[in-house]
Amino acid sequence: MKTTKPNLTRRRCLQTLALGGWSLQAGSAGVLLESLSSSASAQSKPLAGKTMILLTYGGSYQDAVKKIMAQPFTEATGANVVIDGSCCEKLDPALATGRYVADVVLGLDETSCKNYEVRDWTTDLPGLKSIEIAAGIDAAATSSRYAPLNVYAYVAATADKSAPLPHSWADFWNVDKYPGSRGLIRAEPIPILEIALLADGVSPASLYPLDVDRAFASLDKLRKKTRVYFAATGAEQINLLATGETKYSVVYSNRVVLANDSGLGIRATFASGMLMRNCAIIPKAAKNPDVALEFIKFYLQPDRLARFAERTGLAPITPEGAARIAPNWQAVMPSTAANQAQMIPVNSDYWSKQRTAIYDRWITWLAQ
Amino acid sequence: MMLKSLFRLAPALLLLGLLFVLPLALVIEQSFDTVPRTAAYAWFLSSASMRLISYRTLQLAAGVTAICLLISYPACIALCRLPARWQRIVLALLFLPSFASFLVRTYGWMAFLGSAGPVNWLLGLFGQSDGTLVGTFSGLCIAMAHMLLPFQMLPLYTTLRTIPDNQARAALSLGVSPAATFFTVTLPQTFKAACSGAVLVFILCSGFFITPALIGGTQQTTLAQIIYSLTTQLLDWPRSSVAAVMLFVMVVAILALFSKTANYGQALGIRTTVTDASTSDYRDAVRYRLTMRLLCFWPAIPRRLQLPNILPALSLVVAIALAVVPLFYVLLISFQRLPILKPPSIGQLSVRWYSKILHSDDWISGLQVSLSIALCAALIACAVALFCSYELQRRPAWRGALTPMLLGPAIVPQIVLAVGLYRIFGAAHLLGTYTALIASHAMLGVPYAFIALSNGLRSYKVRLDQASFSLGASPLRTSLKIRLPLLLPSLLGAFFFAFQVSMDEVVFASLLSTPDMRTLPMVMYAAATQDLSPELGAVGVIVIGAIALLGVMLTLFAQRTSRRSIVPSPDISQA
């Protein structure tokens, strides 16, 4: 379908042309008018005939992007969106060498986006920042190098109906009071180190800069007390909770929403949850940055954000979007004011500078 | 004449030179792309984490090799004792599963090893209520043994079959116990084959990275995983190149260490003729004795060592179970209504994932892309391998020099090559083209096509060519009327293997493809990492069904043609 789309439009153009030629020959004014008016309606869509490549994660996430964002965007603007669901193996190599890989990349964590800004791999687009401000994003979170899209949180969860939920990270670390195995994630030390420090008694206000030694010492303590499983992916974390492999786990809030939507019965608490944002970038080598900008503008509409949240659990970045979420979904969204008040934001500025340095240590520690 | 030979070898030299040797050279060059030149090497050698990870990579490879050796020996002995018809069935059960996508099989193991799996139920019976295999060394070893056992069993089985039964009977009649007979009669004759298999298992295991990443815990991080993270996440190319060079050096060192004892062509399936085996028999026996003495093992074998008679049969059952269990689990999971890897209870039965994949563009377009890429890649690989194996058959002197390069792509970890290929195709402005992906998949398929065709050509009689020529047939007519029909089974086998390699490749595809070239393994990989839902199970069932059908068809076809043909040609099930 993706491949045939450009051909189809080309074919349709040819058909229109042929039709025009035939109608001129036949001298039938009616057919001529009809073909003219159909091409006029195509032209009334501002981006008709343009094509953009959108790089994002595969699977159900890609489905949601396609149904909630890309297809309605095409209907509204006429621009064709080709979705590449193979993020992100080839993204960094392409950005580093300045190769065209996509016009917009969706769903990257804010830390990576800031990292790309430092490396100067994304274009400085003043227009992007004005779109973000117009959409109602908190001014402190806006940038002309990337666009914040959604909020999500790292929260404590369990699938055991009879087990009490821990209400702080100190509780999560307390194996005597909350017995059983624990689940964490291995892909990134963000925000596992924060959680380890909070569990060790560091106050949220004095979290940054992170005391990395203390964080690893705290993780060591947990690992000595119980079996800790570091899952490879967020999906695996949910699976391990649901099969009972881990009793308590740190999980992505959006995955909890999805899991419960399909009847898995996972309970999670937003208490001391770590709040994060994901973003979109427009790479420097993008061929259609204008379409990408329009797409981000489209994405940030309150209604789109709310529908996307109901489908993926990734909550709107703007208060207007959060307000449009259906009432039955409000309680499970990290964008809801009552939930947000309990959570601690991750400092992505800190991480974008420290990530590479801490990564080596993270791998060493994990391998021990 | 010389020119003609070169002309026949040129496609292979070109394809492998550009896409196998050159990427390796580029990776080495890139590893020195630092200031000072050896900075990245200094980092690798001084980093405690890299030492630890290298050690763990070797530890995993050693563990898996040990499991494969321990299971395959008695299992192959039991297999050889079976009646011929049963041997065929058991061989199919052992080898056909390895043609189902490794992602699907990894997924089956994830489900099996999880707490919902019967392993934990078994561990529970032994009083280990907290027992688990998820993310443990043992769990990963089991899954990796499943992936690599065929490589150990293939050379062992083909060698064991050539040992006459009456040798063991003679030893037994002289009062030697079965176990001692094994050590004094069977083991010396199969030592070389076992070594070949073991070395291959060790090397392939050290280069695997997706299965350890999905099944292993954090303590099973392998060097290949580090190369992958350094390449795609941290973009530290000098460092990732150094790690790749180190992995490559390790592979070459092991190959060189065992180059006298092992025959890699045989391990990968090239059949040695009887004459090959007998000329080196004596030297093998001496080498075997020396090795055993070094291991302080030889004097310790008691003449009347008793091992349970049931051991071979039991091992064969374990080997079959190891091959089939993950597929069975994939089948079970695919009917689970909930998005978890747990066999469904009666109330959770559902076919929703089947209807979902049938209505999804992703899987169908992925299949289309993969089929077209695999078709082209397999055709190229077969053509290249045909000319090359034909020429090498006639010039045994060149075989020794060229075989390492021809088999190399099957042995060198793909992640090592991927970095170099990315640079080559980038420089040629071919990134994201079908050309790039087809060419690299063809390169990967060459070793397998070469093996299958070498086996076919070995039994091909050049006299038939001469007879045809003397009767006045043109070379083209001879090719069409004589060569092609006789080589058809091996050609089909070569095509099947090369096709399968391409259908199963995800590392190159994810680096070299564009959005409209998303292959089936890429969609599978996304499903395994993003969603981990039974959807992948349903796809897996379809893949397994298709492979089984194709395998059965090819075997039947090979049997039919071998019955009809003038000279006996090899059947594919053993290739």
Short mmCIF file of all heavy atoms in Angstrom, two decimals, chain B residues 163-203:
data_model
loop_
_atom_site.label_atom_id
_atom_site.label_comp_id
_atom_site.label_asym_id
_atom_site.label_seq_id
_atom_site.Cartn_x
_atom_site.Cartn_y
_atom_site.Cartn_z
N ILE B 163 29.88 -45.50 10.11
CA ILE B 163 30.59 -46.51 10.91
C ILE B 163 29.77 -47.79 10.92
O ILE B 163 28.61 -47.78 11.33
CB ILE B 163 30.79 -46.01 12.36
CG1 ILE B 163 31.61 -44.72 12.34
CG2 ILE B 163 31.46 -47.08 13.21
CD1 ILE B 163 31.80 -44.12 13.70
N PRO B 164 30.35 -48.89 10.47
CA PRO B 164 29.58 -50.14 10.43
C PRO B 164 29.20 -50.61 11.84
O PRO B 164 29.98 -50.45 12.78
CB PRO B 164 30.55 -51.14 9.77
CG PRO B 164 31.63 -50.32 9.18
CD PRO B 164 31.71 -49.06 9.95
N ASP B 165 28.01 -51.17 11.95
CA ASP B 165 27.50 -51.67 13.23
C ASP B 165 28.42 -52.73 13.84
O ASP B 165 28.58 -52.80 15.04
CB ASP B 165 26.13 -52.33 13.01
CG ASP B 165 25.05 -51.30 12.91
OD1 ASP B 165 25.34 -50.12 13.23
OD2 ASP B 165 23.93 -51.66 12.51
N ASN B 166 28.99 -53.59 12.94
CA ASN B 166 29.71 -54.74 13.48
C ASN B 166 30.96 -54.37 14.26
O ASN B 166 31.46 -55.17 15.03
CB ASN B 166 30.01 -55.76 12.37
CG ASN B 166 30.66 -55.09 11.18
OD1 ASN B 166 31.22 -53.99 11.31
ND2 ASN B 166 30.57 -55.73 10.02
N GLN B 167 31.45 -53.14 14.10
CA GLN B 167 32.60 -52.70 14.91
C GLN B 167 32.23 -52.72 16.39
O GLN B 167 32.96 -53.25 17.22
CB GLN B 167 33.04 -51.30 14.52
CG GLN B 167 33.77 -51.26 13.19
CD GLN B 167 34.39 -49.91 12.92
OE1 GLN B 167 34.36 -49.02 13.77
NE2 GLN B 167 34.97 -49.75 11.76
N ALA B 168 31.09 -52.10 16.69
CA ALA B 168 30.65 -52.06 18.08
C ALA B 168 30.34 -53.46 18.57
O ALA B 168 30.68 -53.82 19.71
CB ALA B 168 29.42 -51.17 18.22
N ARG B 169 29.73 -54.28 17.70
CA ARG B 169 29.39 -55.64 18.11
C ARG B 169 30.64 -56.45 18.42
O ARG B 169 30.69 -57.21 19.38
CB ARG B 169 28.56 -56.33 17.02
CG ARG B 169 27.08 -56.37 17.37
CD ARG B 169 26.28 -57.10 16.33
NE ARG B 169 25.74 -56.15 15.36
CZ ARG B 169 25.71 -56.36 14.06
NH1 ARG B 169 26.21 -57.46 13.55
NH2 ARG B 169 25.19 -55.45 13.26
N ALA B 170 31.68 -56.24 17.60
CA ALA B 170 32.95 -56.93 17.83
C ALA B 170 33.51 -56.57 19.20
O ALA B 170 33.92 -57.44 19.98
CB ALA B 170 33.95 -56.58 16.74
N ALA B 171 33.48 -55.28 19.52
CA ALA B 171 34.01 -54.83 20.80
C ALA B 171 33.20 -55.45 21.94
O ALA B 171 33.76 -55.94 22.93
CB ALA B 171 33.96 -53.32 20.88
N LEU B 172 31.89 -55.46 21.79
CA LEU B 172 31.02 -55.99 22.84
C LEU B 172 31.29 -57.49 23.04
O LEU B 172 31.35 -57.97 24.17
CB LEU B 172 29.55 -55.77 22.48
CG LEU B 172 29.05 -54.32 22.60
CD1 LEU B 172 27.67 -54.19 22.00
CD2 LEU B 172 29.06 -53.87 24.05
N SER B 173 31.48 -58.19 21.92
CA SER B 173 31.70 -59.64 22.03
C SER B 173 33.04 -59.94 22.70
O SER B 173 33.26 -61.02 23.22
CB SER B 173 31.64 -60.28 20.65
OG SER B 173 32.81 -59.94 19.93
N LEU B 174 33.96 -58.97 22.67
CA LEU B 174 35.25 -59.15 23.33
C LEU B 174 35.17 -58.75 24.80
O LEU B 174 36.19 -58.67 25.49
CB LEU B 174 36.33 -58.34 22.61
CG LEU B 174 36.69 -58.86 21.22
CD1 LEU B 174 37.57 -57.87 20.49
CD2 LEU B 174 37.39 -60.20 21.32
N GLY B 175 33.96 -58.44 25.24
CA GLY B 175 33.78 -58.18 26.66
C GLY B 175 33.95 -56.73 27.07
O GLY B 175 34.07 -56.43 28.25
N VAL B 176 33.98 -55.81 26.09
CA VAL B 176 34.11 -54.40 26.44
C VAL B 176 32.70 -53.84 26.70
O VAL B 176 31.78 -54.14 25.94
CB VAL B 176 34.79 -53.62 25.31
CG1 VAL B 176 35.03 -52.19 25.71
CG2 VAL B 176 36.10 -54.28 24.93
N SER B 177 32.55 -53.05 27.73
CA SER B 177 31.22 -52.52 28.05
C SER B 177 30.80 -51.51 26.98
O SER B 177 31.65 -50.94 26.29
CB SER B 177 31.25 -51.83 29.41
OG SER B 177 31.91 -50.59 29.29
N PRO B 178 29.48 -51.28 26.82
CA PRO B 178 29.03 -50.33 25.79
C PRO B 178 29.68 -48.96 25.93
O PRO B 178 30.08 -48.35 24.95
CB PRO B 178 27.52 -50.25 26.03
CG PRO B 178 27.16 -51.52 26.71
CD PRO B 178 28.35 -51.92 27.51
N ALA B 179 29.82 -48.48 27.17
CA ALA B 179 30.39 -47.16 27.36
C ALA B 179 31.85 -47.13 26.93
O ALA B 179 32.30 -46.21 26.24
CB ALA B 179 30.25 -46.74 28.82
N ALA B 180 32.58 -48.16 27.30
CA ALA B 180 34.00 -48.22 26.92
C ALA B 180 34.13 -48.40 25.41
O ALA B 180 35.05 -47.85 24.79
CB ALA B 180 34.69 -49.35 27.66
N THR B 181 33.19 -49.14 24.81
CA THR B 181 33.18 -49.28 23.35
C THR B 181 33.04 -47.90 22.71
O THR B 181 33.72 -47.57 21.74
CB THR B 181 32.00 -50.17 22.90
OG1 THR B 181 32.05 -51.38 23.62
CG2 THR B 181 32.06 -50.43 21.41
N PHE B 182 32.17 -47.12 23.31
CA PHE B 182 31.97 -45.77 22.78
C PHE B 182 33.28 -45.00 22.79
O PHE B 182 33.66 -44.37 21.81
CB PHE B 182 30.90 -45.04 23.61
CG PHE B 182 30.80 -43.59 23.29
CD1 PHE B 182 30.17 -43.17 22.12
CD2 PHE B 182 31.34 -42.64 24.14
CE1 PHE B 182 30.10 -41.83 21.81
CE2 PHE B 182 31.26 -41.29 23.83
CZ PHE B 182 30.64 -40.89 22.66
N PHE B 183 33.98 -45.06 23.92
CA PHE B 183 35.21 -44.25 24.04
C PHE B 183 36.34 -44.78 23.18
O PHE B 183 37.21 -44.04 22.75
CB PHE B 183 35.66 -44.17 25.50
CG PHE B 183 34.85 -43.19 26.30
CD1 PHE B 183 33.98 -43.63 27.29
CD2 PHE B 183 34.93 -41.83 26.03
CE1 PHE B 183 33.23 -42.72 28.00
CE2 PHE B 183 34.17 -40.92 26.75
CZ PHE B 183 33.31 -41.37 27.74
N THR B 184 36.36 -46.11 22.94
CA THR B 184 37.49 -46.66 22.21
C THR B 184 37.21 -46.88 20.72
O THR B 184 38.12 -46.89 19.91
CB THR B 184 37.93 -48.01 22.82
OG1 THR B 184 36.76 -48.81 22.97
CG2 THR B 184 38.59 -47.82 24.16
N VAL B 185 35.94 -47.05 20.36
CA VAL B 185 35.62 -47.32 18.97
C VAL B 185 34.91 -46.15 18.29
O VAL B 185 35.36 -45.62 17.27
CB VAL B 185 34.76 -48.61 18.83
CG1 VAL B 185 34.37 -48.84 17.38
CG2 VAL B 185 35.50 -49.79 19.40
N THR B 186 33.80 -45.72 18.88
CA THR B 186 32.98 -44.71 18.23
C THR B 186 33.61 -43.32 18.30
O THR B 186 33.75 -42.63 17.29
CB THR B 186 31.59 -44.67 18.88
OG1 THR B 186 31.15 -45.99 19.11
CG2 THR B 186 30.61 -43.94 17.99
N LEU B 187 34.01 -42.92 19.49
CA LEU B 187 34.51 -41.56 19.69
C LEU B 187 35.71 -41.23 18.79
O LEU B 187 35.72 -40.18 18.15
CB LEU B 187 34.83 -41.33 21.17
CG LEU B 187 35.11 -39.89 21.60
CD1 LEU B 187 33.96 -38.98 21.22
CD2 LEU B 187 35.35 -39.81 23.10
N PRO B 188 36.73 -42.11 18.71
CA PRO B 188 37.88 -41.74 17.87
C PRO B 188 37.48 -41.49 16.42
O PRO B 188 38.03 -40.60 15.77
CB PRO B 188 38.80 -42.96 17.97
CG PRO B 188 38.43 -43.62 19.24
CD PRO B 188 36.97 -43.38 19.41
N GLN B 189 36.51 -42.25 15.91
CA GLN B 189 36.15 -42.11 14.50
C GLN B 189 35.27 -40.90 14.24
O GLN B 189 35.18 -40.43 13.10
CB GLN B 189 35.42 -43.37 14.03
CG GLN B 189 36.30 -44.60 14.09
CD GLN B 189 35.63 -45.78 13.45
OE1 GLN B 189 35.39 -45.78 12.26
NE2 GLN B 189 35.31 -46.77 14.25
N THR B 190 34.61 -40.43 15.28
CA THR B 190 33.69 -39.30 15.07
C THR B 190 34.23 -38.02 15.70
O THR B 190 33.58 -36.99 15.67
CB THR B 190 32.33 -39.60 15.71
OG1 THR B 190 32.55 -40.00 17.06
CG2 THR B 190 31.60 -40.68 14.96
N PHE B 191 35.45 -38.14 16.24
CA PHE B 191 36.03 -37.00 16.97
C PHE B 191 36.08 -35.74 16.12
O PHE B 191 35.71 -34.66 16.54
CB PHE B 191 37.42 -37.41 17.44
CG PHE B 191 38.10 -36.38 18.29
CD1 PHE B 191 37.58 -36.04 19.52
CD2 PHE B 191 39.26 -35.75 17.86
CE1 PHE B 191 38.19 -35.10 20.31
CE2 PHE B 191 39.88 -34.79 18.64
CZ PHE B 191 39.34 -34.48 19.87
N LYS B 192 36.52 -35.92 14.88
CA LYS B 192 36.68 -34.77 14.00
C LYS B 192 35.33 -34.09 13.70
O LYS B 192 35.20 -32.87 13.74
CB LYS B 192 37.32 -35.23 12.70
CG LYS B 192 37.87 -34.12 11.87
CD LYS B 192 38.74 -34.68 10.77
CE LYS B 192 39.23 -33.55 9.89
NZ LYS B 192 40.17 -34.00 8.88
N ALA B 193 34.35 -34.94 13.42
CA ALA B 193 33.02 -34.39 13.13
C ALA B 193 32.46 -33.65 14.33
O ALA B 193 31.89 -32.56 14.21
CB ALA B 193 32.09 -35.52 12.72
N ALA B 194 32.65 -34.24 15.52
CA ALA B 194 32.14 -33.60 16.74
C ALA B 194 32.82 -32.26 16.95
O ALA B 194 32.18 -31.27 17.30
CB ALA B 194 32.36 -34.52 17.93
N CYS B 195 34.14 -32.23 16.70
CA CYS B 195 34.88 -30.97 16.85
C CYS B 195 34.36 -29.92 15.87
O CYS B 195 34.15 -28.77 16.24
CB CYS B 195 36.36 -31.19 16.58
SG CYS B 195 37.26 -31.66 18.04
N SER B 196 34.18 -30.34 14.62
CA SER B 196 33.69 -29.38 13.62
C SER B 196 32.39 -28.75 14.08
O SER B 196 32.20 -27.54 14.04
CB SER B 196 33.46 -30.07 12.29
OG SER B 196 34.53 -30.92 11.99
N GLY B 197 31.47 -29.61 14.51
CA GLY B 197 30.17 -29.12 14.96
C GLY B 197 30.31 -28.21 16.16
O GLY B 197 29.73 -27.12 16.21
N ALA B 198 31.12 -28.65 17.12
CA ALA B 198 31.24 -27.88 18.36
C ALA B 198 31.83 -26.49 18.10
O ALA B 198 31.37 -25.49 18.65
CB ALA B 198 32.11 -28.64 19.35
N VAL B 199 32.85 -26.44 17.24
CA VAL B 199 33.47 -25.15 16.95
C VAL B 199 32.45 -24.21 16.30
O VAL B 199 32.34 -23.03 16.63
CB VAL B 199 34.70 -25.33 16.03
CG1 VAL B 199 35.18 -24.00 15.49
CG2 VAL B 199 35.81 -26.01 16.80
N LEU B 200 31.68 -24.78 15.39
CA LEU B 200 30.67 -23.96 14.71
C LEU B 200 29.62 -23.46 15.70
O LEU B 200 29.24 -22.29 15.68
CB LEU B 200 30.02 -24.79 13.60
CG LEU B 200 29.38 -23.98 12.52
CD1 LEU B 200 30.42 -23.14 11.82
CD2 LEU B 200 28.70 -24.88 11.53
N VAL B 201 29.18 -24.34 16.58
CA VAL B 201 28.19 -23.95 17.59
C VAL B 201 28.77 -22.82 18.45
O VAL B 201 28.11 -21.80 18.70
CB VAL B 201 27.81 -25.16 18.48
CG1 VAL B 201 27.04 -24.71 19.71
CG2 VAL B 201 26.98 -26.15 17.67
N PHE B 202 30.01 -22.99 18.86
CA PHE B 202 30.65 -22.00 19.72
C PHE B 202 30.69 -20.63 19.03
O PHE B 202 30.33 -19.61 19.60
CB PHE B 202 32.07 -22.48 20.04
CG PHE B 202 32.75 -21.68 21.12
CD1 PHE B 202 32.71 -22.11 22.43
CD2 PHE B 202 33.40 -20.49 20.82
CE1 PHE B 202 33.32 -21.38 23.43
CE2 PHE B 202 34.02 -19.75 21.81
CZ PHE B 202 33.98 -20.20 23.12
N ILE B 203 31.11 -20.64 17.76
CA ILE B 203 31.27 -19.38 17.04
C ILE B 203 29.92 -18.72 16.75
O ILE B 203 29.74 -17.53 16.97
CB ILE B 203 32.03 -19.64 15.73
CG1 ILE B 203 33.50 -19.86 16.06
CG2 ILE B 203 31.88 -18.48 14.76
CD1 ILE B 203 34.30 -20.38 14.92
#
